[in-house]
């Protein structure tokens, strides 16, 4: 009998296996390549709301002066604003400075005139401000502070009068067209400190609602469980299409005010609110009111907030309303939230 050498026996074994399982069984296998994984697109934080997006829109912020009084309601496009500033005007009432960037509506209004405080409000945005007009000195000072001051006579097809309302509540504008006409202006820089984890700051008093009291106006806010819903003089605020006016965060800033030498059409002094400097504040977020201090170094600087210990306050992502209330008034009243019963208390009922 013929004896096979070791190498010959291995070769014979491979030949036998190849008949049954194929020749590949005796060849070394190549490593399996891992499946390619897709990297999620990097997102940016939008400068006025902190909300995430794949890219910041390539257009300027557009602010619009909007009246709050009864003949102006319901307004068009107010609910779409990223930030809304509530300003004291003559007669103790208020007016809005609504800022659009994340979304540019095709129609917003009515549009009314500017006030001195529009300079420090809009200067940090470096964008466009739409107004019906104003005192020549106000137009000069505010125009020097903003990227572009758009008055009715300079708006072109971005402003028009409607027949469904009487003057002066019949002027409307298109932030979309304004932004297109001022494409040389850049996107706004970040205006607020937003929390990296999108969580609201801790602390404060739990409330169901609160009110900001002006000399002849009452801004009310009620917590829905998801957002603050606005009431003007105890009436629910909504857009002309029925969209409820809501905010993720409401900032109440106590500011010094003084009458100017200018008079409105009925003879009341035009009010100037001093926004540069610092003062007391309330931060309404997540159903709570938090004591704070606001700071603003100059017209072109944004607002910053700190708590009672001097630590910076960061805000959650979402729409922000800012109430500029006279520091001399009883500025905030609230209804404390009822404490929720514990699990053990529920079982004993």
């Amino acid at each position: 009998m013929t004896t096979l050498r070791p190498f010959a026996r291995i070769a014979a074994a491979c030949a036998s296996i190849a008949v049954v399982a194929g020749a590949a069984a005796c060849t070394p296998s190549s490593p399996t390549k891992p499946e390619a994984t897709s990297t999620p697109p990097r997102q940016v934080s939008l400068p006025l709301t902190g909300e995430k997006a794949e890219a910041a829109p390539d257009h300027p912020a557009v602010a619009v002066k909007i009246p709050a009084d009864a003949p102006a309601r319901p307004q068009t496009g107010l609910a779409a604003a990223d930030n809304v500033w509530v300003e004291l005007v003559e007669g103790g009432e208020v007016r809005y400075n609504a800022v659009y960037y994340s979304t540019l509506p095709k129609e917003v209004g009515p549009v009314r005139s500017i006030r001195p405080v529009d300079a420090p409000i809009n200067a940090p945005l470096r964008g466009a401000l739409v107004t019906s007009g104003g005192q020549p000195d106000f137009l000069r000072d505010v125009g020097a502070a903003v990227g572009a001051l758009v008055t009715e006579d300079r708006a072109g097809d971005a402003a028009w009068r409607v027949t469904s309302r009487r003057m002066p509540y019949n002027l409307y504008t298109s932030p979309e067209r304004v932004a297109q006409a001022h494409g040389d202006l850049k996107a706004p820089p970040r205006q607020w400190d937003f929390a990296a984890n999108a969580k609201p700051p801790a602390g404060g008093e739990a409330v169901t609602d609160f009110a900001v009291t002006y000399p002849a106006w009452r801004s009310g806010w009620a917590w829905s469980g998801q957002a603050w819903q606005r009431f003007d003089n105890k009436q629910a605020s909504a857009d002309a299409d029925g969209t409820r006016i809501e905010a993720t965060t409401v900032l109440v800033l106590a500011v010094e005010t003084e009458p100017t030498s200018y008079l409105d059409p009925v003879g009341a002094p035009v009010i100037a609110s001093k926004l540069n400097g610092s003062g007391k504040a309330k931060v309404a977020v997540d159903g709570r009111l938090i004591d704070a201090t606001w700071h603003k170094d100059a017209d072109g600087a944004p607002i910053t907030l700190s708590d009672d210990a001097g630590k910076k306050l960061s805000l959650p992502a979402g729409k922000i309303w800012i109430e500029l209330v006279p520091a001399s008034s009883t500025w905030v009243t609230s209804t404390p939230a009822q404490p929720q019963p514990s699990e053990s208390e529920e079982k004993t009922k």
Side-chain angles (χ1 to χ4, degrees):
M1 184 175 67
T2 304
T3 302
L4 295 177
R5 295 179 180 179
F7 291 115
R9 285 199 293 267
I10 293 173
C14 278
S16 301
I17 294 170
V19 172
V20 178
C26 287
T27 59
S29 61
S30 58
T32 303
K33 293 183 179 180
E35 293 184 5
T37 57
S38 60
T39 303
R42 184 180 178 182
Q43 292 188 315
V44 300
S45 177
L46 297 180
L48 274 64
T49 64
E51 295 171 326
K52 299 298 182 181
E54 291 186 8
D58 186 21
H59 57 67
V62 177
V64 182
K65 291 303 301 293
I66 300 176
D69 47 331
R73 301 175 68 190
Q75 298 90 347
T76 297
L78 185 58
D82 288 341
N83 299 164
V84 180
W85 300 74
V86 185
E87 311 170 0
L88 176 68
V89 293
E90 50 280 359
E93 296 188 340
V94 301
R95 185 166 294 175
Y96 302 138
N97 186 316
V99 184
Y100 302 87
Y101 173 68
S102 303
T103 300
L104 293 179
K106 294 182 178 180
E107 183 178 28
V108 167
V111 181
R112 292 300 307 273
S113 58
I114 61 170
R115 293 295 180 270
V117 74
D118 293 319
I121 287 175
N122 290 279
L125 298 167
R126 307 171 191 172
L129 171 61
V130 183
T131 173
S132 61
Q135 295 283 351
D137 288 347
F138 299 167
L139 291 171
R140 181 197 65 226
D141 295 344
V142 176
V146 302
L149 183 61
V150 182
T151 52
E152 180 183 6
D153 57 337
R154 298 179 180 180
D157 66 353
W160 61 91
R161 296 275 177 178
V162 300
T163 58
S164 57
R165 294 197 175 192
R166 295 182 179 180
M167 290 186 68
Y169 299 98
N170 63 344
L171 179 62
Y172 284 70
T173 188
S174 169
E176 182 181 66
R177 294 180 189 175
V178 171
Q180 291 171 352
H182 295 279
D184 57 318
L185 299 177
K186 304 300 182 183
R190 189 181 67 175
Q191 296 298 297
W192 308 98
D193 287 314
F194 292 107
N197 57 8
K199 292 183 178 180
E205 175 193 16
V207 299
T208 59
D209 58 77
F210 69 95
V212 183
T213 306
Y214 296 85
W217 199 266
R218 186 179 188 273
S219 293
W221 295 94
W223 180 244
S224 71
Q226 300 294 327
W228 295 104
Q229 295 187 329
R230 182 172 178 81
F231 294 80
D232 283 285
N233 291 333
K234 300 184 178 181
Q235 295 183 352
S237 302
D239 256 354
D241 64 1
T243 303
R244 195 72 170 83
I245 304 298
E246 295 183 333
T248 300
T249 302
V250 180
L251 305 179
V252 186
L253 312 183
V255 299
E256 298 296 331
T257 61
E258 63 181 8
T260 68
S261 59
Y262 298 94
L263 303 178
D264 73 351
V266 298
V270 174
I271 300 298
S273 297
K274 299 179 180 180
L275 190 52
N276 294 334
S278 63
K280 293 181 179 180
K282 294 276 189 180
V283 178
V285 64
D286 194 32
R288 292 173 288 115
L289 278 175
I290 302 171
D291 290 328
T293 301
W294 66 268
H295 312 266
K296 192 178 194 310
D297 295 332
D299 274 5
I303 295 279
T304 59
L305 300 160
S306 60
D307 62 18
D308 286 345
K311 182 181 178 181
K312 181 180 70 174
L313 282 176
S314 296
L315 306 178
K319 296 181 183 296
I320 302 171
W321 277 61
I322 309 96
E323 304 264 4
L324 303 180
V325 64
S328 59
S329 66
T330 304
W331 51 307
V332 176
T333 56
S334 61
T335 304
Q338 295 298 318
Q340 297 297 316
S342 65
E343 186 176 343
S344 59
E345 289 173 330
E346 286 286 351
K347 291 180 178 179
T348 58
K349 288 184 178 179

